[in-house]
Amino acid sequence: MEKSESTKIEMGESSKLERKLGKAPLLGSPTHAISSSAIVANKRAGNYKRGIAIFDLILRIAAVATAIGAAVGMGTAGETLPFFTQFFQFEAGYDDLPTFQFFVIAMAIVVAYLVLSIPFSIVCIARSHVVAPRLLLIIFDTAIVTLTTSAAGASTAIVYLAHNGNEDANWLAFCNQFGDFCQTTSGAVVAGFLTVVILLILIVLSAIALKRH
C-alpha cells in the first residue's frame, strides 16, 4: 500500500515537472535562435539604411554647392570688348541667349528644391524605417534630374557652337574674341552636369533603401 502511494506521488510530481518544463521556453531551442537572429538582422538593416541616409545628406549638400556654382557662374557670365571708341563696344552676356537664361532659372529651382529636401533626408537618418519620406525624395529627385539634364544639355549645345561654330549654317565661333565669357559658361555647364550625376546617385541610393524595406 505504501509503495503504490509513493508511486502515485512520484508520478504526479513528475507530470507537474513535465508541464512546467513544457511551458518554460528553452534557451537553446530553435525558436529562440531564430528570434535572436531576426533581431540581429533587423539591427544590421537599420544601421545599413541609416548609413545610406547619411550619405544621402552629404550628397545633397554637395549638390547644393554644385548647383549654386552653376547658377552663379552662368548668371555672372559677361564680357565686353573695347573698340576704337567708347561708343562702339561688343558685349556678350548670358541674358543675350534664352538657353542660358533657362539654365539659370532651372539651376535656381534645383537649388531651392535641394535645400527643401535636406530636412526629409534628416528624417530618414533619424527614422530609417519610415518609407514615406524616402518615397517622396525619389519621386521629386527624378523630376529634378530631368529638369537639370535638359538645362545642361541645351546649354552644352550653345557652348559647343560658341567654341566651334557651324560652317553649314555660316555660324562663326566667337570664343576667340570672348574667351572669358566662353570659359565661364563652360564651367557653369560642367557644374550643371556634376549636379546631374549627384542627383542620379541620390536616386539609386533611395531605390536601394526602399528595396531593403
Side-chain angles (χ1 to χ4, degrees), residues 48-146:
Y48 181 80
K49 294 172 188 176
R50 189 172 291 107
I52 291 177
I54 293 173
F55 191 44
D56 180 278
L57 177 60
I58 295 172
L59 287 178
R60 287 185 187 279
I61 295 173
V64 170
T66 56
I68 289 176
V72 173
M74 186 65 76
T76 57
E79 186 177 1
T80 302
L81 297 180
F83 205 60
F84 294 103
T85 64
Q86 62 179 355
F87 298 103
F88 295 95
Q89 292 180 340
F90 293 98
E91 183 179 359
Y94 87 96
D95 52 351
D96 295 329
L97 298 168
T99 303
F100 288 165
Q101 293 179 358
F102 169 65
F103 181 87
V104 173
I105 295 172
M107 296 312 297
I109 294 174
V110 172
V111 171
Y113 163 73
L114 289 172
V115 171
L116 292 175
S117 68
I118 288 177
F120 290 91
S121 182
I122 295 174
V123 170
C124 292
I125 296 175
R127 304 182 65 183
S128 57
H129 62 281
V130 178
V131 179
R134 181 64 61 189
L135 186 60
L136 288 175
L137 286 177
I138 195 172
I139 292 173
F140 285 104
D141 286 348
T142 304
I144 289 297
V145 77
T146 305

